[in-house]
């Protein structure tokens, strides 16, 4: 069980993150409802994740597929959750993770996209995905190289997956101003690809606890926020 102090703290954190996200949107002349906050619950166990839902967060992000499906099962009593897979998906985990019907932010190879399309067709479903782009160029970062994107978009699977947009992370040790330039590059890439492909590519998943303001200034429609939500919450697991 979650004690009331923890629940109270989560509520405060959730409120203040929402306020800051809305404020950042307004400052940039954007409608606050155009930015979705994905609460990244990878730092905490399913009890604290449940408390975050009670505090009001209904969009939950996990980096590990098996944790995502386990939490989706243990939180199935909440009818209105949407799950977001934000970390690497191994092909042998596709079948099970699809049962939670997540938005998959982390498509980082053609093989993965093809395997996901095939399994989605087999399950008679359509999966919503974002293509992860390595905008920083860091070797350690996952995602497609920027220069591979145009070719990729021309050869998408014809059924089983719906490409909703792009996702990226700023490089390690990047100052917010430099992160902002990387986010701008992702938006420009999206704009070009949308024109070339005719796909709307509406979603731009970019920005985390340390750089969501810069991401919102550059057009993020989804910010993925973890650590900020759990400040002062003692029972962090993992
Ligand atoms: C952990 C993680 C986040 C959240 O990061 P915080 O800095 O804790 O907000 C966002 N996106 C991805 C891909 C992550 O792995």
């Amino acid at each position: 069980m979650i004690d009331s102090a923890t629940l109270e703290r989560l509520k405060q954190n959730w409120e203040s993150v929402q306020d800051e996200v809305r404020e950042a949107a307004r400052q940039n002349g954007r409608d606050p409802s155009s930015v979705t906050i994905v609460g990244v619950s990878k730092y905490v166990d399913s009890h604290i994740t449940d408390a975050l839902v009670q505090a009001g967060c209904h969009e939950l992000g996990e980096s590990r597929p098996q944790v995502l499906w386990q939490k989706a099962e243990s939180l199935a009593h909440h009818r209105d959750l949407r799950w977001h897979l934000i970390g690497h998906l191994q092909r042998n985990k596709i079948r099970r993770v699809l049962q939670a019907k997540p938005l998959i932010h982390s498509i980082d190879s053609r093989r993965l996209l093809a395997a996901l399309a095939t399994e989605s067709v087999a399950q008679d479903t359509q999966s919503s995905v974002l293509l992860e782009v390595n905008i920083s160029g860091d070797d350690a970062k996952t995602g497609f190289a920027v220069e591979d994107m145009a070719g990729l978009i021309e050869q998408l699977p014809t059924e089983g997956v719906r490409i909703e947009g792009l996702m990226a992370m700023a490089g390690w040790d990047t100052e917010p101003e430099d992160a902002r330039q990387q986010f701008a590059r992702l938006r420009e890439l999206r704009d070009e690809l949308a024109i070339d492909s005719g796909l709307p590519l509406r979603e731009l998943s970019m920005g985390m606890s340390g750089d969501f303001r810069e991401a919102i200034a550059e057009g993020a429609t989804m910010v993925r926020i973890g650590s900020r939500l759990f400040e002062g919450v003692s029972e962090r697991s993992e």
Side-chain angles (χ1 to χ4, degrees):
M1 278 304 291
I2 295 299
D3 59 279
S4 59
T6 300
L7 186 54
E8 207 40 52
R9 185 65 205 245
L10 282 168
K11 281 184 180 157
Q12 284 169 9
N13 291 353
W14 174 241
E15 289 303 322
S16 64
V17 166
Q18 278 183 298
D19 287 347
E20 287 173 41
V21 165
R22 290 189 193 118
E23 183 55 28
R26 279 191 211 98
Q27 278 172 0
N28 290 283
R30 300 185 53 197
D31 177 353
S33 70
S34 66
V35 186
T36 297
I37 304 168
V38 177
V40 176
S41 50
K42 66 182 180 188
Y43 302 112
V44 297
D45 64 17
S46 62
H47 298 288
I48 298 183
T49 305
D50 194 328
L52 181 65
V53 175
Q54 292 173 44
C57 177
H58 298 264
E59 309 267 350
L60 296 172
E62 284 290 333
S63 7
R64 292 161 62 197
Q66 62 273 41
V67 177
L68 189 151
W69 75 60
Q70 283 160 4
K71 283 189 180 176
E73 278 168 26
S74 59
L75 301 185
H77 53 282
H78 294 289
R79 293 264 154 230
D80 51 352
L81 298 185
R82 179 162 61 151
W83 290 93
H84 298 256
L85 181 66
I86 61 172
H88 183 63
L89 176 58
Q90 299 84 357
R91 280 175 294 146
N92 64 1
K93 305 226 164 72
I94 292 173
R95 189 178 54 76
R96 278 199 75 177
V97 87
L98 282 189
Q99 287 163 16
K101 302 205 174 302
L103 172 63
I104 302 174
H105 295 226
S106 43
I107 297 294
D108 56 6
S109 77
R110 288 180 188 237
R111 280 206 322 172
L112 175 61
L113 184 62
L116 181 68
T118 303
E119 179 61 28
S120 301
V121 170
Q123 293 192 18
D124 201 18
T125 188
Q126 213 186 23
S127 298
S128 293
V129 306
L130 308 181
L131 303 172
E132 182 176 350
V133 185
N134 183 354
I135 40 166
S136 68
D138 286 7
D139 287 345
K141 288 276 187 221
T142 50
F144 292 100
V146 171
E147 55 273 22
D148 292 342
M149 292 301 293
L152 173 70
I153 283 281
E154 279 174 10
Q155 297 176 4
L156 295 173
T158 53
E159 51 181 352
V161 288
R162 193 169 40 232
I163 315 293
E164 309 270 9
L166 305 182
M167 179 272 223
M169 276 180 277
W172 306 115
D173 277 340
T174 305
E175 295 298 323
E177 230 357 86
D178 298 330
R180 181 164 174 166
Q181 288 177 19
Q182 296 180 7
F183 297 145
R185 216 175 301 144
L186 189 73
R187 175 174 43 79
E188 288 157 14
L189 177 65
R190 186 277 307 273
D191 294 348
E192 287 165 20
L193 295 173
I195 290 169
D196 292 350
S197 67
L199 296 170
L201 302 177
R202 218 167 271 116
E203 306 292 350
L204 279 177
S205 167
M206 55 190 194
M208 326 204 306
S209 292
D211 54 18
F212 67 86
R213 289 177 195 78
E214 289 75 18
I216 291 169
E218 295 299 339
T221 61
M222 292 185 171
V223 289
R224 308 177 308 268
I225 298 188
S227 6
R228 271 296 308 278
L229 293 174
F230 302 105
E231 274 170 13
V233 175
S234 51
E235 299 160 86
R236 288 168 60 139
S237 62
E238 206 186 56

